Amino acid sequence: KESTLHLVLRLREGDTRDLSSYQRGQETANLISDSDSNDLSTLTVSRPITVQRSNSAIVPMFTQKLVSCSRCVHYSPTRATSMSALRIVNTTNIILQQGEMAVYENEKYVGEGMFYRSRPLHIQLVSFAAETGVNVSKDCSEISLPVHRVEFKSGDSVKSDAKKAQFLESVMIVRTTTVYTIENRTDRKIGQFYLDHNFRPQSSLVKNQDKLDTSELSSVFYRFLLTLNPKSSLSFEVVEEREESTSSHISGLSHKQIKKLVETKVLSVEDSNTLIAKIDRNQRKQELTSLRQSILSLPKPIPDQWKPILQKTHELVEEKKWLSEKIEKNIISVFPLTQDIAKITNQISEEEKFVRELFKNQERLRENLKALEKITGDTLKDRYLNEMLAEEDKLHKSRKKTDSSQENLEKVSQDLQKILQKIISDLNEIVLSLTEEN
């Protein structure tokens, strides 16, 4: 049985069909509708088609020449080599679906590639064979340019002014240069060489924008259009720049760093003075806190341990002017007291040693007297007794001397503690005021 067919064809992404018979068809298809949502195309065949029962047929829907198709060479970072390619513009008024594509030159097969879905006037490069005559190599380098902008930030990374800021954010340009060396070893001039270069995140192109191929834009790469002369080598630079920032706590900055920002006109003189004052206050606070901690860490100050504190105090007073002479005077007065304490402590130790020797000698005398109990004659006994009486006098004097030294030691120690408490109190007051100022 024969019948007349009206074909409604829904073309799907990825369909591959035998297109060879299309070249023989003379029918011209009329596009009835084109929906962006489902890509549904309705085609009406211009004359009846007969299909025998239990048979199938490939129906040529249309034949149309692509008037804008040219040969080129394409380099993509996703491939190891350059590729011979066709630059194809869909000059039809319908959507061309994806499919395999064979390429013939002068009726000779030269390769095949994948043609991807293409809307009217859409442009795509279809690679079909490796181009061994063109070699591409690249070298990449990166440099950071001087800081060109600074921002003040508070502790929660919110923008602030110089007086309230805790952090200084320095913004600089990072320049990435990729040099492509393209060598054309063939005898022919390549008028269309397409070079794809992947975007760098947050970067912008600053050189060779005039070489960009703007006919086909991508969200992934730049595409440059170049010309290669026969037997020649071309060096092509792609320069991109992006902003990067580094955040530094203001207390960690130096006067030299601030001065450099002023010299490069990145920071105003007024803001630099504010920052330097904050830096000095922070450093002063740290130094005085360290001095206070050094004093508190000495449970019983001795002269040798107090000398470094004296040296540090002198530096803070004379060189940095961060400490008053009154506090320095109190700290200096501690040193002779530590010497007195050391001297008195040594005297007490000597007296205690002397008493131990007396006790040891008296023990010997008692043993000797006990041994003479059964022996007649009092001369030796009297000698031992007189010696014991003399040592008792010495023991009494030594104890009185020790008691006096203990009283003196207690008095000097109390004087020392009063001075130390005054020093710590004064330092705490200065540190607190510096904390409030910042």
Side-chain angles (χ1 to χ4, degrees):
K1 181 180 179 179
E2 296 181 354
S3 61
T4 300
L5 301 178
H6 293 280
L7 300 181
V8 178
L9 177 64
R10 182 183 177 92
L11 300 177
R12 293 181 176 85
E13 195 87 21
D15 283 353
T16 56
R17 306 178 185 277
D18 183 0
L19 305 180
S20 59
S21 61
Y22 284 21
Q23 299 172 358
R24 299 189 297 272
Q26 300 300 319
E27 295 80 6
T28 300
N30 296 316
L31 181 64
I32 303 303
S33 66
D34 179 12
S35 171
D36 288 337
S37 60
N38 55 18
D39 294 336
L40 177 66
S41 298
T42 303
L43 303 174
T44 301
V45 180
S46 61
R47 63 180 175 82
I49 295 176
T50 300
V51 181
Q52 298 293 334
R53 182 191 295 272
S54 300
N55 290 332
S56 61
I58 295 177
V59 180
M61 301 305 296
F62 72 94
T63 299
Q64 187 167 340
K65 183 178 181 181
L66 296 175
V67 297
S68 181
C69 181
S70 58
R71 184 167 180 172
C72 60
V73 177
H74 179 215
Y75 172 80
S76 170
T78 60
R79 297 179 182 270
T81 61
S82 300
M83 300 292 292
S84 292
L86 292 176
R87 183 180 185 273
I88 300 174
V89 183
N90 182 3
T91 54
T92 70
N93 61 344
I94 68 171
I95 299 173
L96 302 178
Q97 296 298 315
Q98 176 177 309
E100 294 180 355
M101 184 184 76
V103 180
Y104 292 82
E105 186 176 21
N106 299 326
E107 298 185 356
K108 181 180 179 182
Y109 173 83
V110 292
E112 62 182 28
M114 177 62 70
F115 182 87
Y116 293 97
R117 179 179 173 276
S118 177
R119 291 181 176 276
L121 300 181
H122 177 257
I123 302 171
Q124 66 173 292
L125 298 182
V126 181
S127 299
F128 60 86
E131 178 56 79
T132 57
V134 177
N135 181 61
V136 179
S137 61
K138 68 177 181 178
D139 181 62
C140 186
S141 62
E142 188 171 272
I143 60 170
S144 295
L145 302 182
V147 174
H148 70 279
R149 188 176 78 253
V150 294
E151 294 179 356
F152 301 109
K153 297 291 183 68
S154 62
D156 50 3
S157 297
V158 177
K159 285 188 177 181
S160 178
D161 55 23
K163 292 182 179 179
K164 299 179 182 179
Q166 296 183 27
F167 296 90
L168 183 69
E169 191 170 279
S170 303
V171 184
M172 68 193 74
I173 295 292
V174 177
R175 177 177 294 165
T176 304
T177 303
T178 305
V179 179
Y180 290 91
T181 302
I182 308 163
E183 184 182 2
N184 180 12
R185 297 193 292 260
T186 68
D187 295 326
R188 70 181 191 278
K189 179 179 180 179
I190 300 176
Q192 290 181 306
F193 178 82
Y194 290 95
L195 173 70
D196 290 353
H197 174 84
N198 288 339
F199 289 146
R200 291 186 176 275
Q202 309 299 323
S203 297
S204 58
L205 185 67
V206 297
K207 187 176 181 180
N208 285 325
Q209 295 96 327
D210 58 322
K211 300 295 184 181
L212 280 172
D213 177 24
T214 57
S215 62
E216 183 180 7
L217 301 179
S218 168
S219 60
V220 180
F221 56 83
Y222 295 114
R223 175 165 288 169
F224 299 94
L225 176 58
L226 307 173
T227 299
L228 305 181
N229 293 319
K231 299 289 185 179
S232 65
S233 180
L234 173 67
S235 180
F236 183 74
E237 283 190 353
V238 179
V239 182
E240 298 164 283
E241 291 182 350
R242 69 182 185 275
E243 279 193 347
E244 283 193 0
S245 61
T246 57
S247 184
S248 304
H249 200 283
I250 291 176
S251 62
L253 298 175
S254 65
H255 289 197
K256 184 178 180 180
Q257 290 174 302
I258 299 298
K259 183 179 179 181
K260 186 175 181 180
L261 293 175
V262 174
E263 290 174 349
T264 56
K265 298 182 179 180
V266 175
L267 190 66
S268 69
V269 175
E270 181 181 356
D271 286 341
S272 70
N273 292 335
T274 302
L275 291 183
I276 288 174
K278 286 173 70 71
I279 292 170
D280 288 345
R281 286 196 296 269
N282 280 321
Q283 291 181 350
R284 183 185 180 191
K285 176 183 173 182
Q286 292 174 3
E287 293 281 4
L288 296 183
T289 301
S290 175
L291 177 63
R292 180 186 61 183
Q293 190 60 35
S294 299
I295 295 173
L296 291 173
S297 65
L298 300 177
K300 292 183 179 180
I302 60 177
D304 289 343
Q305 293 176 331
W306 201 253
K307 285 181 181 179
I309 294 177
L310 288 175
Q311 293 173 355
K312 187 66 177 178
T313 302
H314 180 76
E315 177 186 341
L316 294 175
V317 174
E318 299 298 330
E319 297 180 15
K320 297 185 177 180
K321 311 297 183 183
W322 286 352
L323 206 58
S324 68
E325 293 182 356
K326 179 181 177 182
I327 297 178
E328 181 188 28
K329 183 178 179 181
N330 287 334
I331 292 177
I332 292 174
S333 67
V334 170
F335 186 70
L337 292 178
T338 62
Q339 290 178 315
D340 291 343
I341 290 175
K343 182 179 179 180
I344 295 170
T345 303
N346 186 57
Q347 290 173 351
I348 293 173
S349 298
E350 291 295 329
E351 290 298 327
E352 289 176 348
K353 181 180 178 181
F354 177 69
V355 169
R356 287 194 299 271
E357 291 176 353
L358 286 178
F359 281 151
K360 185 177 180 180
N361 190 49
Q362 285 185 343
E363 184 67 24
R364 179 185 64 82
L365 292 173
R366 290 188 185 95
E367 290 179 359
N368 290 341
L369 287 172
K370 187 176 181 181
L372 294 173
E373 288 179 354
K374 297 179 180 181
I375 300 176
T376 59
D378 296 330
T379 303
L380 193 55
K381 290 180 181 180
D382 291 341
R383 177 183 170 186
Y384 287 153
L385 288 173
N386 291 333
E387 189 174 346
M388 287 187 68
L389 288 172
E391 289 191 351
E392 282 295 325
D393 291 338
K394 292 179 181 179
L395 181 60
H396 179 69
K397 291 179 180 179
S398 178
R399 284 177 174 172
K400 286 184 66 176
K401 190 175 181 180
T402 300
D403 291 340
S404 176
S405 297
Q406 288 287 1
E407 291 177 2
N408 194 19
L409 177 62
E410 185 176 351
K411 181 179 180 302
V412 175
S413 297
Q414 289 176 352
D415 293 341
L416 175 62
Q417 289 303 317
K418 288 180 182 179
I419 296 176
L420 289 177
Q421 289 175 2
K422 176 61 176 173
I423 293 171
I424 296 300
S425 176
D426 291 341
L427 290 176
N428 285 338
E429 185 177 345
I430 297 174
V431 170
L432 180 61
S433 65
L434 292 172
T435 302
E436 292 174 350
E437 287 179 26
N438 283 339

